[in-house]
Amino acid sequence: PQGRVRVDMPGGIAHALILSQLAQFQARFPDIYLMIGINDCQVDLIQDGVDCVIRTGRLHDSTLVARHLGELRWITCATPSYLNQQGIPKNLKDLQFHRAVHYFANTTRRTGELHFVEAGEKVVVPVTGTVAANETGLYIKLGLAGGGLMQLAEILVVDHLRTGDLVEVLADVRPEPVPVSLIYPHHRFLSPAMRAFAD
């Protein structure tokens, strides 16, 4: 396979998953030129000339072809210094005494919520905060700076969890896993290069 493939994805996915596989992909397919766009906001595949996107979350656009790639396990975490100061939340009621680093995207205005699954039921808890970000790298840095609780895919902070820079809390009520999908337009012919990347 040869040719150019333009793919767009969230920054966290690119850094945590794609980057580690890139050398192997390039060794196997040296004639494929990858254009990797990093964007936590959704792009318009047709208007922006993108061949495919990797997206997390539930999909709403039925005019696109979606290929399920897997799921990301989400966790709630914070720095030890924040938890020493505010206390470790033992249950969802304890969240009234906490603050969170908020994340916002173009598709939603509700930034001050954390999501959980308790006794099989989805629970949304409003948590106060003083800062919000719309880019994963900045979001993580704000949390590492002691900004409060964060909720994100475990793979994005696995190294920080391993070193103890971040600590998971409320593990018994983790949010439901978030699906990851590869998406491309119906009408676009899947070139061999695009198919190789998708596989």
Side-chain angles (χ1 to χ4, degrees):
Q2 58 184 343
R4 180 175 299 199
V5 176
R6 182 172 171 196
V7 57
D8 199 88
M9 66 189 75
I13 295 283
H15 292 286
L17 297 174
I18 300 299
L19 196 57
S20 63
Q21 305 295 318
L22 197 54
Q24 182 182 356
F25 179 83
Q26 290 174 321
R28 187 170 176 197
F29 303 109
D31 296 325
I32 294 178
Y33 183 83
L34 279 182
M35 297 178 66
I36 303 173
I38 305 298
N39 197 338
D40 281 3
C41 301
Q42 294 188 5
V43 299
D44 185 309
L45 277 78
I46 307 300
Q47 193 168 6
D48 296 328
V50 176
D51 295 301
C52 64
V53 296
I54 297 175
R55 287 191 184 151
T56 59
R58 303 282 170 220
L59 304 174
H60 305 291
D61 192 339
S62 61
T63 65
L64 302 172
V65 177
R67 180 171 170 182
H68 181 73
L69 299 179
E71 292 183 332
L72 297 175
R73 183 167 74 172
W74 275 51
I75 63 167
T76 307
C77 60
T79 61
S81 60
Y82 169 82
L83 296 172
N84 287 337
Q85 181 184 18
Q86 297 298 122
I88 298 173
K90 304 293 185 193
N91 53 55
L92 298 184
K93 289 182 182 176
D94 288 349
L95 293 176
Q96 64 184 312
F97 306 111
H98 285 268
R99 69 180 185 273
V101 180
H102 295 155
Y103 185 91
F104 68 96
N106 289 352
T107 55
T108 179
R109 292 182 180 215
R110 296 190 306 261
T111 61
E113 301 173 343
L114 296 181
H115 297 254
F116 301 91
V117 175
E118 186 176 41
E121 298 289 324
K122 295 181 189 177
V123 180
V124 178
V125 180
V127 181
T128 62
T130 59
V131 65
N134 71 342
E135 191 272 327
T136 304
L138 178 59
Y139 179 75
I140 293 171
K141 287 180 179 176
L142 291 169
L144 287 168
L149 298 170
M150 292 187 295
Q151 207 165 57
L152 71 173
E154 181 181 31
I155 194 165
L156 303 181
V157 291
V158 67
D159 291 337
H160 296 298
L161 293 167
R162 193 177 297 119
T163 61
D165 294 333
L166 291 173
V167 177
E168 182 181 5
V169 297
L170 300 170
D172 57 329
V173 289
R174 278 186 185 134
E176 65 179 357
V178 174
V180 181
S181 304
L182 179 77
I183 303 169
Y184 51 91
H186 264 292
H187 70 272
R188 182 157 293 167
F189 170 71
L190 273 188
S191 69
M194 169 68 186
R195 192 175 298 279
F197 177 78
D199 291 342

